[in-house]
Amino acid sequence: MTVTLADVAARAQVSPATVSRVLNGNYPVAASTRERVLRAVDELDYVLNGPASALAAATSDLVGILVNDIADPFFGIMASAIQSEIGGPGGRAGGERLAVVCNTGGSPERELTYLTLLQRQRAAAVILTGGAVEDAVHVAAVDTKLRKLADAGTRVVLCGRPPSPDAIALTFDNRGGGRQLTEHLIGLGHRRLGYIAGPEERTTTRHRLEGHRDALAAHGIEDDPKRTVWGRYDRRAGYDATLELLRRDPSLTAVVAANDTVALGACAALREAGLRIPDDVSVAGFDDLPFSIDAVPALTTVHLPLSDAGARAGRIAMGREEPPPGGIATVCGELMVRGSTGAPRE
Amino acid sequence: MTVTLADVAARAQVSPATVSRVLNGNYPVAASTRERVLRAVDELDYVLNGPASALAAATSDLVGILVNDIADPFFGIMASAIQSEIGGPGGRAGGERLAVVCNTGGSPERELTYLTLLQRQRAAAVILTGGAVEDAVHVAAVDTKLRKLADAGTRVVLCGRPPSPDAIALTFDNRGGGRQLTEHLIGLGHRRLGYIAGPEERTTTRHRLEGHRDALAAHGIEDDPKRTVWGRYDRRAGYDATLELLRRDPSLTAVVAANDTVALGACAALREAGLRIPDDVSVAGFDDLPFSIDAVPALTTVHLPLSDAGARAGRIAMGREEPPPGGIATVCGELMVRGSTGAPRE
DNA sequence: CTGTTAGCGCATTCAT
DNA sequence: ATGAATGCGCTAACAG
């Protein structure tokens, strides 16, 4: 039924080994023979059997990309950049690699499951993006998994995720970015700042919040726990949290959100409460996703070079770029001051 | 070095076949034996070899999801929904399936390449999302590919994509949605409407535009070609196109965009041109992506049930839901009237 | 319910 | 530069 390498060999009147060699292009074959084989491949419409190939070679052309939320452009942008560097020549089987993005939905179990699945597939490389869950048991489980993958020859790269032994890491300076942002607001004169944090157990959440607190502390501003609210990384969370912050302290003059999406929800809540941005309340986000510049007013935020970082992670995973010294590099964000922040009222 | 099924069998003092059976859970095995095997698996930290398994079974647990732009939430939302229905029990190898999303970037070649790669991997199912490129040669090539995949036992489902023989299709009623939207504007009194279309060669672009023109024709409004501009499906295209439309006809009272992202760019351009929305110019989008409600004013658009459609496509691909009669179902959008549209000025 | 026997399709030695 | 032979690790009949 399905045409195999042997069929091609027969048709081209060569041995299966020769066909394999021209297909993989990693061994000298006479030009005339090659051409004959290629023609047979074409005529028979032959398609390599991936599993068989992977089994025999003990490695595959799959490259796994793990993301926390595929519907969030934060991950989409990184995944897209990674993938653009994955393709091209260099792999086996004609140089085509299958970049597969796996959506963990932020669930530790799913993360582990996908890692196992990729291990099962003998993936050529695995790239984990975004913040990690901090639960000690889970961290240990992931580290163990990553070590096994690495031992089995899978290249493991972290992008926008805190370092782990046995993996090359490109981490984002979330703490520094958070600090810059809050210092900007303090510099504007704000003293009563609300903070909308992300999910409590994630590293990204903690680091950004720490940066915020660093800035407060550096300027002798008390960090009133009432001024921090936790939620998910979505619009609704920002909306609800803002209402809650306003309830707890109507005299707030600024709201700092864990990311841009949350900030958008915050803006909506403020607007509905009849407050003007930034005249009554300033708002700031984080990430600088494409839509942030279109918010009204445009969102002050911290720009993260998601695309560049993703591309670099992709190249490292493909062995086309040297890993950073020590296996860890910190990628810094850049404060983007726009219309959503201004001096506090009165 | 790496532990195999045979090792597990030896340790559990059973035959390899038995181990395979408990792992796949598709054959009766005595509870006591099962437990012994599972314990051995655990102790040895055994991981199934995916390629070997796929080779022997002639099918894999891979499910491919093709998207045009992974950084666009339109696709992210569908992919996420599809994936949520892919997992769970029912597959081989412990019921875990690997949902892999492949980013074609809108390129016909990449689309074909990914389909070949998926075919190579003997994917269990393939789901293609979003609009297709209309070039006859490419359409034929894709159809051929889909037929081969189907013949090889891969389930093929289209989601938000026009029908094709040999595939089950859930298509969006882009034409109807486009018509509704423009009729809404005409009903408001608009007569000079600009239209920002997407990439020229895509079905989505064409259908939405046709709907727009249907509405114009139905109301006896001349369809001046000067009032249509083409561009990509991104913010920048909307921005540029709006400037161009304004240049060609400053008396426009409404701008209809091919999708929400484009509409956002249009809003930015209008705002910078000193025009108020909707007082001076009304704006409408399409898709109703999450950020659309946060635009200022909130965007009038056509809501597409991306999540529901994706979930349904996922279930059909997994054989857990009956395909629609005739293999084709049309999914309709719903007009969402919000603040960005109003009566024309004067 | 469990063991035995054959391949699945390809990459890779080792020869020639 | 090419062919022959071997085995990758697993599943699926087929027996028992």
Side-chain angles (χ1 to χ4, degrees):
Chain A
M1 185 58 227
T2 125
V3 20
T4 76
L5 189 145
D7 300 330
V8 175
R11 176 139 182 130
Q13 295 176 311
V14 294
S15 74
T18 301
V19 177
S20 171
R21 296 200 258 253
V22 335
L23 257 29
N24 288 307
N26 51 8
Y27 208 85
V29 172
S32 65
T33 331
R34 150 174 294 113
E35 200 167 328
R36 206 145 29 93
V37 170
L38 258 19
R39 186 145 32 81
V41 165
D42 219 53
E43 290 167 349
L44 261 35
D45 204 22
Y46 168 71
V47 177
L48 180 70
N49 182 312
S53 170
L55 172 58
T59 174
S60 82
D61 284 324
L62 275 186
V63 173
I65 302 172
L66 263 63
V67 302
N68 289 336
D69 182 4
I70 201 177
D72 184 339
F74 176 84
F75 293 99
I77 291 168
M78 275 194 287
S80 179
I82 292 170
Q83 191 241 18
S84 70
E85 297 286 344
I86 294 300
R92 298 171 26 263
E96 293 301 353
R97 289 202 203 69
L98 220 201
V100 305
V101 0
C102 309
N103 186 28
T104 66
S107 146
E109 298 76 40
R110 291 246 289 260
E111 182 166 275
L112 248 10
T113 300
Y114 270 120
L115 251 17
T116 301
L117 250 24
L118 287 166
Q119 181 184 8
R120 209 176 257 186
Q121 301 298 328
R122 306 308 191 246
V126 171
I127 299 170
L128 292 88
T129 65
V133 166
E134 301 210 89
D135 174 69
V137 174
H138 179 244
V139 169
V142 169
D143 283 349
T144 304
K145 208 60 157 171
L146 294 187
R147 156 176 292 284
K148 276 179 199 146
L149 280 163
D151 286 349
T154 296
R155 211 133 17 175
V156 180
V157 179
L158 311 179
C159 182
R161 188 175 167 116
S164 154
D166 300 295
I168 292 159
L170 261 37
T171 61
F172 292 145
D173 182 23
N174 285 308
R175 185 162 181 161
R179 194 177 41 61
Q180 273 185 74
L181 196 56
T182 298
E183 290 204 317
H184 157 68
L185 287 164
I186 293 173
L188 246 25
H190 293 272
R191 290 300 177 270
R192 293 184 304 281
L193 325 193
Y195 191 90
I196 308 177
E200 209 152 354
E201 70 290 355
R202 309 204 73 90
T203 53
T204 309
T205 301
R206 182 165 64 77
H207 294 151
R208 291 181 182 180
L209 178 54
E210 284 174 0
H212 170 72
R213 289 179 171 163
D214 288 351
L216 293 181
H219 291 264
I221 300 175
E222 188 212 356
D223 174 32
D224 186 343
K226 301 260 190 272
R227 296 228 178 89
T228 299
V229 172
W230 273 269
R232 281 162 309 144
Y233 277 129
D234 62 26
R235 182 212 181 247
R236 178 57 184 271
Y239 183 93
D240 293 343
T242 301
L243 259 25
E244 174 65 16
L245 284 172
L246 247 26
R247 199 185 57 69
R248 294 186 188 172
D249 180 359
S251 73
L252 280 183
T253 64
V255 172
V256 181
N259 74 14
D260 291 350
T261 308
V262 173
L264 234 52
C267 288
L270 291 170
R271 213 175 296 118
E272 287 184 22
L275 295 166
R276 290 162 306 161
I277 303 168
D279 313 74
D280 295 317
V281 179
S282 286
V283 176
F286 208 113
D287 293 342
D288 194 23
L289 295 187
F291 59 73
S292 304
I293 200 166
D294 283 319
V296 180
L299 208 57
T300 290
T301 185
V302 175
H303 177 81
L304 247 27
L306 299 176
S307 206
D308 291 348
R312 186 168 169 206
R315 287 191 300 269
I316 293 173
M318 291 300 94
R320 295 202 279 103
E321 178 174 323
E322 280 306 300
I328 299 179
T330 299
V331 175
C332 289
E334 182 188 356
L335 179 64
M336 308 296 286
V337 176
R338 297 204 271 246
S340 71
T341 53
R345 61 172 172 268
E346 108 209 281
Chain B
M1 186 57 229
T2 126
V3 20
T4 75
L5 188 146
D7 299 331
V8 176
R11 177 141 179 125
Q13 296 176 308
V14 295
S15 76
T18 300
V19 177
S20 172
R21 295 199 259 253
V22 336
L23 257 29
N24 289 306
N26 52 5
Y27 210 83
V29 172
S32 65
T33 332
R34 150 174 294 114
E35 199 167 327
R36 203 144 33 90
V37 170
L38 257 19
R39 186 145 31 82
V41 166
D42 218 53
E43 291 167 349
L44 261 34
D45 204 23
Y46 168 71
V47 177
L48 180 70
N49 183 313
S53 169
L55 173 58
T59 173
S60 81
D61 283 324
L62 239 51
V63 173
I65 302 172
L66 263 62
V67 302
N68 289 336
D69 181 4
I70 199 176
D72 184 339
F74 175 84
F75 293 99
I77 291 168
M78 273 193 288
S80 179
I82 292 170
Q83 191 241 19
S84 70
E85 298 286 345
I86 293 301
R92 298 169 27 262
E96 293 300 353
R97 289 203 202 68
L98 221 200
V100 304
V101 1
C102 308
N103 187 29
T104 66
S107 147
E109 298 77 41
R110 289 247 288 260
E111 182 166 276
L112 248 10
T113 301
Y114 270 120
L115 287 175
T116 302
L117 250 25
L118 256 10
Q119 181 184 9
R120 204 177 261 186
Q121 301 298 329
R122 306 306 191 249
V126 171
I127 300 169
L128 293 88
T129 64
V133 167
E134 301 210 87
D135 173 70
V137 174
H138 180 245
V139 169
V142 169
D143 284 349
T144 305
K145 208 57 156 174
L146 295 187
R147 155 174 293 283
K148 277 180 198 146
L149 279 163
D151 285 350
T154 296
R155 211 134 16 176
V156 180
V157 179
L158 311 179
C159 182
R161 188 175 168 116
S164 154
D166 301 293
I168 293 159
L170 260 38
T171 61
F172 293 144
D173 181 23
N174 286 308
R175 186 162 183 161
R179 194 177 40 62
Q180 272 185 74
L181 196 55
T182 297
E183 291 205 316
H184 156 69
L185 287 163
I186 293 172
L188 246 24
H190 293 272
R191 289 299 176 273
R192 294 185 302 281
L193 324 192
Y195 191 90
I196 308 177
E200 209 152 354
E201 71 289 354
R202 309 206 73 92
T203 53
T204 309
T205 300
R206 181 165 64 78
H207 294 151
R208 290 180 183 181
L209 178 54
E210 284 173 0
H212 170 71
R213 289 179 170 163
D214 287 352
L216 292 181
H219 293 263
I221 300 176
E222 188 213 357
D223 174 33
D224 186 341
K226 301 261 191 269
R227 296 228 177 88
T228 299
V229 172
W230 272 269
R232 280 163 310 143
Y233 277 129
D234 61 27
R235 181 213 182 246
R236 179 57 184 272
Y239 184 92
D240 294 344
T242 302
L243 259 24
E244 175 65 16
L245 285 172
L246 247 25
R247 199 185 56 70
R248 294 185 188 174
D249 181 0
S251 73
L252 280 182
T253 63
V255 172
V256 181
N259 74 15
D260 292 349
T261 307
V262 172
L264 235 52
C267 288
L270 291 170
R271 214 175 295 120
E272 287 183 23
L275 295 166
R276 289 163 306 163
I277 303 168
D279 312 74
D280 295 316
V281 179
S282 286
V283 177
F286 208 114
D287 292 343
D288 194 23
L289 295 186
F291 59 72
S292 304
I293 200 166
D294 283 319
V296 179
L299 208 58
T300 290
T301 185
V302 175
H303 177 82
L304 246 28
L306 299 176
S307 207
D308 290 347
R312 185 167 170 208
R315 286 191 301 269
I316 293 173
M318 291 300 94
R320 295 203 276 102
E321 177 174 323
E322 279 306 300
I328 299 179
T330 299
V331 175
C332 289
E334 182 188 356
L335 178 65
M336 308 296 286
V337 176
R338 297 204 270 247
S340 70
T341 52
R345 61 172 171 270
E346 109 210 283

